[in-house]
């Protein structure tokens, strides 16, 4: 099946954040591809990946990057598809990457999620895909429901501990 | 035509930021609806708007709010649709609203754009709608092209001023 | 005895902060209940807990949450009782949760204490209960007095070490 | 009628924030007193006001102060009553006063509300008084309901403007 | 004479900061060119300007940009010449642009100066050019000396005012 | 010999920072006393220590405290002697304590040094004592000279390692 | 009379902050001198002023500077006298200058006061001079007493307005 | 061969950051010298190193310092050569050093790179040297190319792991 989501990591050091995204996308059964390519150091590679990906049916891009975190913005300059940005904590608690992802000028937004939240980046991408894909929508519902159950179980555990 | 995007403002004081979003959505020719409803003060109204809106075909929600800016998160708890959050500067330069929108826990992301960027919130919503709507995609392209032309004209003006 | 204070945790990962609150409430001999329920992920559960709790005599709610920390605000939207918010450090040193708890709009305050200060959240709740409860007031006095004694003992230890 | 709430301002320059609190307390029909007294510059006056006030039936103190904003903490050291702190923006957007109010050590909490939110400080104090005062509770309900109506009117105005 | 420095502005709204740079470069008698081109919105234009400029003898690039301020980083990805970045205050006091310029990953530095400091960006570029250009070095010395004189005159004025 | 400097710690947990101060004061041969007393929890003790200390010849107070760090300000309200404040890192990297010490209103300054810098607090106190005490001045000079020698030795070590 | 305090401003643009210091020193009747000299741009001048001033009896230096605010640190490197630093708000609300003044390494403290607080810088310098000067001590007491009276008058005005 | 770059560390504790710079300069084959000298504590040494270095052919200075990080600014006051500043994380995540390096006033810029980025400081210095040195330019190209290859290898590894 052709990938609908392309994840690009700015550096191999961000792999743990990517794994959180992959884990969710597997559960949502959304086909994806994964690449490492740096906004500044392998700019042409990013460009080629994004243009080719857009042509071949990628519907959402997920950029995972720390520090100046320009990756999301660079992807956004080569595609009309929505770009999800996951800022990674490398220095300053990730505040640099968070601003560098969210504060994009008009008309080039990057849909920013929380610092190190590869999981939420994947959920957001899944919600976008799910607008026209019943199965993905259902999988998100299941995933949310199982989360609700987990909270209920945690809640019960706490009560039995207290009494 | 049924609205595909619902904009909710947390307060009538955020109307200028909403107008930036509306202006873009008009250009993109995406039908939208607009509401004022507060996450904390008229919680039930938010809930009803979101549940009914989701049932009636809203594909993307845009939440515009300042301060603790919980609106996006509250909307996200009532729908599986993607929620775009526009943090508004009210205090602290908007840093409070920016974090309160972006730092959402798993699995409830809000797609955060820059502070006061109603325009980018609308572009992002348009990009999402545009995945399955050729006209919206084309309108985004036109809008981006006209922006490029504006930059070129600005560039020429500057040169003629210098010489 | 019916609980007068309800503690709600946003996530089981915040349990250590809750234990600090519980430890203080035990000393103050204020009856309390404890729940895990997420503002975004189990919204209805929060709502039901708060409405039912208010009806059954809860006088103060304590919300313990990190990141966007909307829990306090959501509780405040379902009750007229005072809500104490304890921001938890998860990212950014807890500055995100601190602002997301304190910067609430009118007329929906959350009484915010320091980051990770479950103990102070309980003291504050105890002070509120104590306005009309002599025993709780006395227990707070005892607790403060024993603290003063501890400081005096620490002071003496330091002097004996120096000489 | 004896005042139940004592507002203390750190400086006459904070009067506008106090007026927001007074305006709400008048609506809630909670009797209050108002003083200007500085934590550092008229320390004894603060001490006397707080001790005497506590003896004479003050149930909640509201401290309004900017910069190092120690006023709330100083009040808390002389009373067992709950102390509400309103941080005022004087420098740094009020972030200094906000931390200096909220980050209190154990066991001396100050119930911190948003920057410049005299109105929310009064609501919180009213909620505390309202635990044992039906009239105040009813007045808070009325005030919240009138707020909901205002949001509804704003919402309708926006719709009529759009069409 | 061929320009040795190329200034690129991310937006025509940054022109006042550019004028501060131009004013200094005129005094240093370093030939320069000036362009408006956005990192995200006219990416290809930036690329062409930088590659062509590098081939035609540009020795230092100056990027002037606010918000996510990716311009400096994008320029750095197309040239081996040093890139000077001037972060512009648009939101958050310019802290977003400052981090987004300075926090670049290895091996793609941007030589960041102070917020809104077009003048210092030009001085830095002049110092770099001046390593191999006696006239520019001399002009920087003159400019610094005239600054010292200004400080001395200010100093004298203050004394005469005091006495 | 009567102490000329009084160090007050807000909590026994700050003892490591106090030890840095003590170590320097021993080298400067300035007699000092050391106390633990909290601004909020043992307020009267602070007051008595400061008033009595001022009467008995204390010339400089050093306050060591974290979080809201009101200790320095409280000391300043009971004495006309200069008060040195050492903010301690407990949460938020110590930024809360740093602002809560430095941002004091007129006319009640606290002479703030760097976060966790007990050593610099002692040097500053020593410089103040040294204005009228030749021996302390000489000891500061010696201490600074030995520091210069240490830097020179470090410098030489680095060179020998390189070659 | 020979000056005991030397005020150095980093730039003529900081004059308003200096005037606040001068106004206080006049009231304290402490003789002072005033200079404009930049840490980076007229370094030798700073050096000469400080060395000569120290030799001629200056007991406290006051450095008033914004941005990187190195002036206090540079003065501290040429004298053993205590150096008071007044950070000035130029960018970022003065947070840059505040850290650049306070966070000095061992053994070179700068006694930092609040942002733009020329008045408190003068009070602190006066407190230091006052250790051995009864008149200055008395003048500080008078100034503090008149401040207390002003607070009392403000307090009375507010009461008469309320009733 | 005479050194073209002089690295100065503010303290021996910053040696790890210096090693990152040295490692890059070795690869670029740019001759350098290395010194430890503190802006405040061994000011004269810094001055002598910079003046002598400038006379003997140093073309770029690299200052590595934390906290108030004045070293870069002090170097800049003694030379017309470009000064690269590497802020070091010691407290506050390095935000103090970053501002204290970047926010320099006119006309004394310091070319600031990311926090702890000794490597990027060296690349930037190499780019400056490379303007007139073909070999250094070539070495930077090689280093960048090997980086691109590393990213490609990382990319391939990730794919093989996924499949």
């Amino acid at each position: 099946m052709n990938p609908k989501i392309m994840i690009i990591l700015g550096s191999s050091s961000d792999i743990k954040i990517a794994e959180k995204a992959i884990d969710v996308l597997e559960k949502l059964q959304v086909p994806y591809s994964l690449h490492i390519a740096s906004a500044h150091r392998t700019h042409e590679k990013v460009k080629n990946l994004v243009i080719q990906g857009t042509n071949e049916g990628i519907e959402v891009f997920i950029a995972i990057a720390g520090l100046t975190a320009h990756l999301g913005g660079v992807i956004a300059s080569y595609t009309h598809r929505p770009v999800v940005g996951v800022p990674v904590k490398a220095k300053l608690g990730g505040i640099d990457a968070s601003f560098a992802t969210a504060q994009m000028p008009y008309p080039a937004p990057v849909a920013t999620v929380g610092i190190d939240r590869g999981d939420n980046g994947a959920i957001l991408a899944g919600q976008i895909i799910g607008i026209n894909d019943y199965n993905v929508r259902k999988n998100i519902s299941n995933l949310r429901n199982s989360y609700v159950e987990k909270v209920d179980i945690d809640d019960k555990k706490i009560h039995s501990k207290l009494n």
Side-chain angles (χ1 to χ4, degrees), chain A residues 54-130:
Chain A
T54 304
N55 289 339
E56 292 176 3
I58 295 294
E59 296 185 358
V60 184
F61 290 85
I62 298 178
I64 299 178
L67 299 171
T68 50
H70 296 181
L71 184 60
V74 167
I75 295 173
S77 70
Y78 291 119
T79 185
H80 292 176
R81 295 304 193 204
V83 180
V84 173
V86 183
V88 177
K89 173 182 167 176
K91 289 281 173 187
L92 293 168
I95 208 173
D96 47 1
S98 183
F99 289 151
T101 305
Q103 290 288 85
M104 287 288 289
Y106 176 78
V110 171
T112 307
V113 295
I115 295 166
D116 289 347
R117 292 242 78 109
D119 48 8
N120 264 355
I123 294 283
L124 177 58
Q127 287 174 321
I128 294 170
I129 300 293

